[in-house]
Amino acid sequence: MARRYCYNEVLPFTAMAAVECSNVVQNILFKAASSKGMSYYIFIAYAYILATLALLPLICLLLCRKGLPKFEFPLISRLCFLGLVGFAGQLCAYKGLELGSPTLSSAISNLTPAFTFILAVFFRMEKVALRSSSTRAKIIGTIASMSGASVVVLYKGPEVQQPLGSSQSKWVFGGLLLAASYLLSSFWYIIQSQIMKIYPEEMIVTFIYNLSLTILSVPVCFLAESNMTSWRPTRSIVAASILYSGLFALNFSCGVHSWGVRLKGPVYVAIFKPLSIVIAAIMSAFFLGDALYLGSVIGALILSAGLYAVLWGKAQEEEMTHYDSGSSSFGPLSSCKVPLLQSHNDAEM
């Protein structure tokens, strides 16, 4: 029992928290490198080439043992769509980060649980019963999260720390791009949950995803950055940013998120995003002298309140589902079928 609890509860929590730490470090390194003139097109192309090559030896071993997956249409279509969504999300995320800051990115990332919840309801992965207190809490929390993100983007307020130097217009446009990237991230979680049901091999799916982004990004980024001299990483911070992201952060994040989606469902993975704002605020202030504005603090508090309302509603719903499942095991409800797109958590219960 203890081993199963550690695998199902402790390990996912620890892994998701570690991913958020890794993502914040990646964002800070990228922001520092972009301030030295690195284009986000060049960063994306190099990072995904390295991420694909880094996984290649492991994938060769796995394929020798398990063989190639059966590339039928349901799997191929979702893998292709996953790559397109991921590439669009990366373009929005790094351009928004270039115009904003790691702290702004982490604050806007609090929208991910709300976006994911809305999409999960749309795809019938989450149950909605308006008379239920848990459903009302999740809806109110979702609205509060979106309101808090609006405050972060539209209202800077006085500076709490030394300013980074970005204008109000860049701040707003960067915030909108980051919001778009996290909406695409929520789509990514939904698609990935479907892929994991068809083919539950996290590392192979991660490799195919990285390969698809490499194929998409290289020609697009070469067209966007036609000056070949700009492709030479002459500064150490640029090289460090590319190497850290390509050799570790991208594969670690994608692999853990794929595993978490399969084990716990997309909403569980998304709810860890708010951890990044505290990590980013501390690390950005320490390493970049980044600005922290009053609007970000107020918006983050509203976002956090909305997040925990969603979490409370989710916990209440899981308790009630568990109780109903146990009490109906001898009744007529035990023969009910689980919907095709239902989340992994609900299917287990």
Side-chain angles (χ1 to χ4, degrees):
M1 287 294 293
R3 184 176 180 181
R4 185 176 180 181
Y5 176 80
C6 288
Y7 180 79
N8 290 330
E9 303 298 335
V10 178
L11 186 58
F13 182 91
T14 305
M16 297 303 158
V19 165
E20 294 308 315
C21 293
S22 172
N23 288 343
V24 169
V25 172
Q26 181 185 12
N27 289 344
I28 290 174
L29 286 173
F30 170 81
K31 184 63 180 180
S34 65
S35 67
K36 301 297 182 181
M38 182 187 70
S39 166
Y40 72 102
Y41 289 112
I42 295 173
F43 172 82
I44 291 173
Y46 274 141
Y48 276 101
I49 290 172
L50 283 178
T52 304
L53 293 175
L55 276 184
L56 188 57
L58 176 61
I59 296 305
C60 289
L61 292 175
L62 288 176
L63 291 178
C64 287
R65 291 173 53 191
K66 300 183 178 182
L68 288 171
K70 294 181 180 179
F71 288 106
E72 298 177 349
F73 180 75
L75 179 59
I76 293 175
S77 61
R78 284 165 174 79
L79 285 171
C80 292
F81 193 39
L82 190 74
L84 289 172
V85 169
F87 181 56
Q90 294 295 315
L91 290 177
C92 292
Y94 288 113
K95 184 60 179 178
L97 190 58
E98 188 179 83
L99 297 174
S101 70
T103 304
L104 176 64
S105 175
S106 296
I108 301 299
S109 73
N110 287 274
L111 274 175
T112 307
F115 284 150
T116 307
F117 171 67
I118 293 171
L119 290 173
V121 170
F122 180 78
F123 287 106
R124 300 173 68 182
M125 292 180 172
E126 290 285 327
K127 297 177 181 179
V128 176
L130 294 179
R131 294 183 179 181
S132 169
S133 60
S134 61
T135 297
R136 290 197 296 266
K138 290 193 290 186
I139 292 173
I140 293 171
T142 299
I143 295 171
S145 297
M146 299 179 74
S147 301
S150 300
V151 171
V152 172
V153 174
L154 300 176
Y155 174 65
K156 268 190 172 181
E159 296 158 357
V160 181
Q161 293 175 352
Q162 182 181 355
L164 189 64
S166 62
S167 65
Q168 177 68 26
S169 60
K170 288 184 176 180
W171 181 269
V172 172
F173 186 55
L176 292 175
L177 284 174
L178 289 166
S181 75
Y182 288 117
L183 174 59
L184 291 168
S185 294
S186 297
F187 271 109
W188 191 95
Y189 294 142
I190 298 296
I191 300 165
Q192 187 71 309
S193 68
Q194 298 179 7
I195 291 173
M196 286 294 101
K197 291 177 182 178
I198 300 171
Y199 187 68
E201 295 291 340
E202 292 85 2
M203 298 311 299
I204 295 176
V205 170
T206 298
F207 175 78
I208 295 173
Y209 172 71
N210 288 343
L211 182 62
S212 65
L213 258 72
T214 301
I215 294 170
L216 286 169
S217 65
V218 169
V220 172
C221 294
F222 267 118
L223 288 173
E225 292 289 339
S226 57
N227 184 9
M228 296 304 297
T229 58
S230 62
W231 284 81
R232 289 181 293 188
T234 55
R235 294 179 179 269
S236 58
I237 187 63
V238 173
S241 174
I242 292 171
L243 289 172
Y244 176 80
S245 300
L247 297 179
F248 174 72
L250 292 176
N251 286 330
F252 180 61
S253 175
C254 185
V256 170
H257 282 163
S258 299
W259 172 70
V261 163
R262 178 174 64 84
L263 185 68
K264 306 289 284 185
V267 175
Y268 180 87
V269 174
I271 63 177
F272 282 85
K273 282 294 179 185
L275 284 175
S276 63
I277 187 170
V278 178
I279 303 167
I282 295 172
M283 296 183 71
S284 296
F286 185 77
F287 290 107
L288 299 176
D290 200 1
L292 181 62
Y293 296 98
L294 181 61
S296 297
V297 175
I298 296 173
L301 291 174
I302 299 173
L303 278 163
S304 299
L307 167 73
Y308 288 110
V310 174
L311 289 177
W312 181 87
K314 188 75 175 159
Q316 292 295 111
E317 188 178 78
E318 288 180 356
E319 286 183 9
M320 291 300 298
T321 305
H322 180 72
Y323 175 79
D324 292 341
S325 177
S327 62
S328 63
S329 59
F330 297 102
L333 293 178
S334 60
S335 61
C336 290
K337 295 182 179 179
V338 179
L340 178 62
L341 292 178
Q342 195 174 10
S343 68
H344 184 79
N345 283 345
D346 292 336
E348 284 189 337
M349 293 187 246

